[in-house]
Amino acid sequence: MTLQTAVITGGGSGVGRATALLLANHRFRVFVAGRTESKLIETRELLESDHDRITPFACDISDQIQVNALVEYVISRSGRIDALINSAGTNVPERSLSKISIEDYRKTLETNLTGAFLCARDFLPLMRKQGYGTIVNINSDAGKSANAKAGAAYVASKFALAGLTQSINAEERRHGIRACSIFPGDINTPLLDKRSRPPSDEQRARMLQPEDVAECVRLAITLPQNAVVEELLIRPL
């Protein structure tokens, strides 16, 4: 059985972790990247069997040198990449225009936008050489319509991430490469703890769960190669 290769950023929690587990159980070899190696190892250990299908790689995706190292590692271990899922994301507690600091603004954009850009740019040469590949960017419904709850920096990063996805499709479809933006509503992930007033357990239960978004990722990357879901908006009932 030939395993496809997926690289997932933010693989230590939330949507990244759920996607890694789902794909590893569906004929994918998965490389999970994130800043905290122990969380990546936890993701691998949550796999019920075939733990070697998930490979952790500690990496700060906002750092060009570390992203280069990630790409080289994947190429050395697999020699191919079928899907890149940019799931890493962050926000800050003090996120309103009246309170956010320049440092927090830059931190938010570096993770949510620059990290996705660096990973996409550095994996694209391999995808071009192959003549195929799918890039999925985990966006937010805040990337469709601004809201005060998300904060200006987060909203700006997600609108820009949508533009990056469109640019990949515009420039790379001639190479057989496709890109998808997934725009979820509120998801029950650890990112909610960074809100100034985190939601209650009851509120979290009514939200999307990471596994819901992971299924959207699987749809985007397993469609026939001549089809692309360019945007997918998903909200809880």
Side-chain angles (χ1 to χ4, degrees), residues 16-217:
R17 171 174 285 180
T19 303
L21 295 172
L22 178 66
L23 296 186
N25 281 316
H26 287 84
R27 297 183 63 178
F28 274 85
R29 181 180 186 183
V30 181
F31 293 84
V32 286
R35 287 189 177 96
T36 308
E37 186 175 27
S38 60
K39 290 184 178 180
L40 303 175
I41 292 172
E42 280 181 16
T43 298
R44 182 181 63 188
E45 295 306 311
L46 286 170
L47 195 63
E48 293 182 358
S49 60
D50 294 326
H51 292 122
D52 58 347
R53 286 197 182 181
I54 295 181
T55 303
F57 189 90
C59 173
D60 179 352
I61 60 165
S62 68
D63 184 297
Q64 175 68 76
I65 294 175
Q66 294 188 45
V67 171
N68 288 343
L70 169 64
V71 174
E72 291 174 3
Y73 183 76
V74 172
I75 291 174
S76 69
R77 297 288 296 272
S78 179
R80 62 186 285 177
I81 178 169
D82 298 271
L84 166 65
I85 297 95
N86 286 310
S87 182
T90 193
N91 207 338
V92 294
E94 300 293 349
R95 59 187 66 170
S96 67
L97 283 169
S98 62
K99 294 182 179 179
I100 191 167
S101 66
I102 292 297
E103 291 75 19
D104 281 346
Y105 169 83
R106 288 174 174 158
K107 172 186 174 183
T108 303
L109 265 70
E110 283 175 0
T111 298
N112 296 354
L113 177 61
T114 303
F117 167 77
L118 292 175
C119 289
R121 189 190 66 168
D122 284 10
F123 275 111
L124 276 169
L126 178 56
M127 289 184 175
R128 292 186 194 110
K129 182 178 179 180
Q130 296 171 164
Y132 65 86
T134 306
I135 297 173
V136 178
N137 292 322
I138 305 300
N139 205 300
S140 164
D141 61 357
K144 283 285 189 183
S145 179
N147 63 73
K149 176 179 65 177
Y154 186 86
V155 169
S157 71
K158 294 301 186 178
F159 266 78
L161 185 61
L164 174 63
T165 309
Q166 291 178 19
S167 294
I168 294 169
N169 280 321
E171 295 187 26
E172 300 296 338
R173 65 175 75 245
R174 64 192 177 95
H175 298 295
I177 297 164
R178 58 191 179 181
C180 174
S181 281
I182 297 178
F183 298 87
D186 285 341
I187 316 171
N188 180 20
T189 72
L191 190 60
L192 296 175
D193 296 328
K194 294 191 176 184
R195 289 184 181 175
S196 57
R197 296 180 63 183
S200 66
D201 290 342
E202 182 180 354
Q203 290 171 320
R204 289 173 187 254
R206 294 196 298 267
M207 295 177 180
L208 293 171
Q209 302 304 308
E211 293 75 16
D212 301 325
V213 184
E215 289 287 358
C216 294
V217 174

Side-chain angles (χ1 to χ4, degrees), residues 210 222 230:
T222 57
E230 294 188 357

